[in-house]
Amino acid sequence: MAALFRGYRNFYKRSNKHVELTLVSCRSMASKTPVGFIGLGNMGTPMARNLLKHGYPVIATDVFPESFKELQDSGAQILDCPAEVADKADRIITMLPSSPNVIEVYTGPNGILKKVKKGTLLIDSSTIDPAVSKEMAVAAEKMGAVFMDAPVSGGVGAAGLAKLTFMVGGVEEEFNAAQELLTCMGANVVYCGQVGSGQAAKICNNMLLAIGMIGTAETMNLGIRLGLDPKLLAKILNMSSGRCWSSDKYNPVPGVMEGVPSANNYQGGFGTKLMAKDLGFAQDTATSTQTPIPLGSLAHQIYRAMCARGYSNKDFSSVFQFLREEGV
C-alpha cells in the first residue's frame, strides 16, 4: 500500500510539473506576438533585428523603401505605413530622427493613432523634445493606448550588440511590459519617472557627451601639435585622470582605434546634426528652467557651426577634424 501511494505521489509530481511547464510554455508563446517597429535607420534596423533574434515576429515600416531590404531579408514583414503596423501589432516601437517625425508617425493621416487598438503599448525610442513626448502620451491615452518614451544611449555599435541603455518614462505599471522588449535590445533598462523623464535623462547625457567629445578632441589636437604620438597620448589619458568615454571607447583621432567612425572617415555613428539637435533641446530646457549651462551652450554653438561647414552627416566625433581645420 505504501509503495502504491509513493507511486501515485511521484506520478502526481510528474504530472503537476508537466502542467507547470505547459503553462510556462504557453505564456512564452503568447509573449512572442508580433511587435511593430517604425523607423529603420542606422539605429532602428539593428534594434529590430535583435527582436527577431529573440523570436519576436517584427512588422515594420519606414518612409525610405531602401531601408526595408536588410530587415526583410532577416524575416520581418514590411507594411506601407504606420497605421497598417498599428492594425497588426499591439506593441509598437518607434525610432525616428526628430520631433516632427514623431508627430507625423503618431498623429499624421497614416499615423499609428489612426488604427491603434485599445491597450496597445507604444514605446518611442527617438530623442525628442520632452514636451512632444507628453503630447503624444495624451493623444495615445485618448485612443486607449499607452505611450512611453524610451530614448537610448550607446550608438550604432551598441545597437548591433544589443548593449544599449534605455531611459524610460511613463506609467510605472507598464514598465515591466516595456522592459520585456527593451532587454532584447539593450543591456540596461532604467525607469526614470513619468512620461518625458526618459527624454530629460537623455538630453542631460548627450550634453555631457558633447562636452566630453569636444574636450577630448581639443586635448588630442594640442598633444599632436606638441609632438606627441596620438596612440601614446590616448594610452596615457586612458590610464590617467583625464580618461573618459570619448577617449577610451570612441576616440575621435583617425588611426588611434579600430571600429569607430574616426577610423572610417567619420561615417556611421551618431551624426553631427543629431548632436546639434539634442544640444538645442538642452539649451531650450535650460532656458525654461533657468539653469546655467555655459559649456553646454558653447558645445551647441560648435556643433551648429560644424553643420554650417558641411559636417552634418559626419559622426559627431568629427569635431576633431573641425578643430584642426579651424587652427590651420
Side-chain angles (χ1 to χ4, degrees):
M1 188 69 168
L4 180 64
F5 177 76
R6 282 196 302 272
Y8 173 77
R9 184 176 60 192
N10 290 337
F11 172 77
Y12 176 79
K13 284 182 178 179
R14 287 195 300 271
S15 299
N16 193 46
K17 185 176 182 180
H18 176 72
V19 170
E20 288 177 357
L21 288 171
T22 301
L23 289 172
V24 169
S25 176
C26 288
R27 284 197 296 270
S28 178
M29 289 174 65
S31 71
K32 297 298 174 73
T33 54
V35 177
F37 205 106
I38 301 169
L40 303 176
N42 290 337
M43 295 291 290
T45 294
M47 289 168 66
R49 194 187 306 114
N50 282 323
L51 287 171
L52 287 167
K53 287 178 181 177
H54 279 79
Y56 291 94
V58 171
I59 301 171
T61 192
D62 192 280
V63 292
F64 298 107
E66 61 270 20
S67 64
F68 296 164
K69 189 176 186 313
E70 184 180 345
L71 198 64
Q72 194 168 28
D73 290 346
S74 297
Q77 180 184 356
I78 303 299
L79 299 180
D80 289 335
C81 66
E84 291 186 11
V85 173
D87 191 46
K88 301 287 186 182
D90 58 11
R91 294 180 291 181
I92 300 171
I93 298 167
T94 51
M95 186 58 158
L96 304 161
S98 67
S99 296
N101 297 126
V102 170
I103 293 169
E104 177 66 20
V105 162
Y106 279 89
T107 65
N110 294 307
I112 291 169
L113 298 184
K114 291 296 180 184
K115 290 193 176 182
V116 72
K117 299 176 228 177
K118 287 186 177 180
T120 295
L121 177 62
L122 305 170
I123 303 172
D124 181 39
S125 287
S126 318
T127 299
I128 60 172
D129 187 333
V132 172
S133 292
K134 293 174 183 177
E135 289 173 18
M136 295 303 99
V138 170
E141 187 177 11
K142 288 179 181 177
M143 304 302 295
V146 175
F147 177 95
M148 304 185 83
D149 60 306
V152 305
S153 178
V156 175
L161 296 171
K163 291 186 177 180
L164 293 168
T165 292
F166 288 88
M167 293 153 271
V168 185
V171 180
E172 189 170 7
E173 290 74 18
E174 299 292 340
F175 176 65
N176 286 341
Q179 189 176 32
E180 176 193 336
L181 297 179
L182 299 181
T183 51
C184 297
M185 302 176 285
N188 303 293
V189 182
V190 183
Y191 180 70
C192 300
Q194 294 304 304
V195 170
S197 60
Q199 299 294 349
K202 174 64 186 291
I203 288 169
C204 291
N205 178 79
N206 275 22
M207 182 175 73
L208 180 58
L209 176 62
I211 293 168
M213 180 57 76
I214 293 169
T216 301
E218 288 182 348
T219 299
M220 294 299 295
N221 188 33
L222 176 60
I224 291 167
R225 294 193 180 193
L226 289 171
L228 291 171
D229 175 78
K231 285 188 177 181
L232 175 64
L233 177 56
K235 180 180 179 180
I236 292 168
L237 292 175
N238 293 331
M239 62 174 62
S240 305
S241 56
R243 177 180 175 272
C244 65
W245 186 84
S246 295
S247 68
D248 189 29
K249 302 294 185 184
Y250 211 83
N251 199 284
V253 181
V256 169
M257 294 182 67
E258 295 297 324
V260 294
S262 62
N264 188 35
N265 195 30
Y266 300 105
Q267 299 304 305
F270 184 60
T272 294
K273 65 182 176 183
L274 295 177
M275 180 57 85
K277 176 202 74 173
D278 292 356
L279 289 168
F281 292 146
Q283 185 69 70
D284 292 343
T285 54
T287 300
S288 65
T289 58
Q290 298 185 340
T291 305
I293 53 165
L295 293 180
S297 296
L298 184 55
H300 186 212
Q301 292 176 36
I302 290 171
Y303 278 101
R304 287 183 63 192
M306 288 175 66
C307 290
R309 291 277 297 274
Y311 286 83
S312 292
N313 295 321
K314 288 183 178 289
D315 179 72
F316 80 108
S317 63
S318 62
V319 67
F320 171 78
Q321 189 179 59
F322 173 77
L323 292 172
R324 279 181 70 83
E325 290 177 356
E326 286 293 298
V328 172

